Amino acid sequence: MGKAIVKCTIDTYAVDEYVVEVPCEKDDVDEIIIAKAWKILKSEEAALPYGNRSANILKRID
């Protein structure tokens, strides 16, 4: 079991950036890891602002 470091960005008037550590398998597709990151972020934060959302994987650790 590895992990990935994902940066989630929400474009508001001020750009909000969050960094999330996601447990993942070595052969997981990027879209699955990003979906897990948003799910973890939603559970950790009380409320997320509205705005365009994007995410990218910064690093994978096996």
Side-chain angles (χ1 to χ4, degrees):
M1 177 69 84
K3 61 182 173 180
I5 308 298
V6 180
K7 181 171 79 170
C8 299
T9 306
I10 302 174
D11 294 330
T12 58
Y13 292 112
V15 176
D16 294 330
E17 294 182 334
Y18 305 91
V19 178
V20 181
E21 187 175 299
V22 180
C24 64
E25 296 295 329
K26 183 179 177 181
D27 58 346
D28 278 351
V29 182
D30 290 351
E31 287 81 12
I32 292 173
I33 294 171
I34 290 172
K36 288 180 183 179
W38 283 112
K39 186 174 182 179
I40 291 170
L41 184 60
K42 287 178 186 177
S43 69
E44 289 178 354
E45 294 293 320
L48 293 175
Y50 290 106
N52 293 330
R53 296 181 179 191
S54 62
N56 61 339
I57 298 173
L58 299 176
K59 186 179 193 180
R60 280 189 180 207
I61 304 167
D62 293 329

